[in-house]
Amino acid sequence: MEQETFPEELADALVGVQRLIRRRLRREMPAPQLRGAEVELLRLVVARPGIGISDAAKDLYLAGNSVSTLVNQLAGQGYLVRETDPADRRAARLMPTPAAEARLGEWRRRRADLVRQQVARLDEVDREALAAAVPALRLLAGNLREEGEES
């Protein structure tokens, strides 16, 4: 792989793997089908119960009105509950429902099973290369997150 094309090839590979995992899981998951942004918001709320809409928008790099729309959809499906912020009665705090936690747990389990099956199909050298790349990929994600927060 050429050094000059490496960044583009890496980005394409990561996006391709993520897209294929999402498509496979989406077909297998029970209804209702959730879009990527909805899943990302659910993950965030499960990880940070009580997060506000503006903080969620900031963390997801989305407009506040986009997150409000997602919240309305997810609340309507029984995955999120809005609670009034005791410190600011005009603000809402987002809480996951047990259905949201169960859905994400099932998503994670199915995703891990899918990736485990596909990695097992690789030869040992490729499996070791992927395992060795995980720490560097986490650092790359952290750098991207930090840079996004600075701008």
Side-chain angles (χ1 to χ4, degrees), residues 59 61 69 88 109 140 143:
D59 282 13
Y61 301 100
T69 299
D88 180 356
R109 185 191 64 73
L140 176 61
N143 290 345

Side-chain angles (χ1 to χ4, degrees), residues 4 55 63 137 139-140:
E4 61 200 39
D55 286 338
L137 290 170
L139 286 172
L140 176 61

Side-chain angles (χ1 to χ4, degrees), residues 6-145:
F6 172 71
E8 186 173 350
E9 290 182 48
L10 175 62
D12 287 347
L14 293 172
V15 168
V17 168
Q18 178 64 19
R19 183 183 315 115
L20 291 167
I21 289 172
R22 192 171 36 241
R23 282 184 184 163
R24 289 273 306 269
L25 292 178
R26 198 174 280 148
R27 284 194 314 241
E28 298 170 6
M29 289 295 290
Q33 296 293 318
L34 298 179
R35 296 184 330 235
E38 292 170 322
V39 173
E40 290 303 314
L41 179 57
L42 279 182
R43 282 184 186 150
L44 179 61
V45 174
V46 167
R48 295 179 51 200
I51 190 170
I53 291 174
S54 62
D55 286 338
K58 183 178 163 187
D59 282 13
L60 297 172
Y61 301 100
L62 294 172
N65 61 342
S66 296
V67 172
S68 291
T69 299
L70 292 170
V71 167
N72 289 336
Q73 292 165 345
L74 291 168
Q77 295 171 351
Y79 291 123
L80 289 181
V81 174
R82 287 183 203 83
E83 293 182 355
T84 303
D85 184 344
D88 180 356
R89 309 246 347 127
R90 298 167 295 165
R93 296 285 156 218
L94 304 175
M95 301 300 291
T97 64
E101 292 175 350
R103 174 99 184 204
L104 281 181
E106 181 67 10
W107 178 272
R108 286 186 187 112
R109 185 191 64 73
R110 289 180 188 224
R111 182 182 62 183
D113 288 347
L114 174 62
V115 172
R116 185 179 300 105
Q117 291 167 8
Q118 296 307 311
V119 169
R121 296 176 60 191
L122 301 174
D123 63 34
E124 186 174 345
V125 171
D126 288 335
R127 286 193 305 269
E128 288 174 0
L130 286 175
V134 170
L137 290 170
R138 284 192 177 128
L139 286 172
L140 176 61
N143 290 345
L144 288 166
R145 187 175 302 110

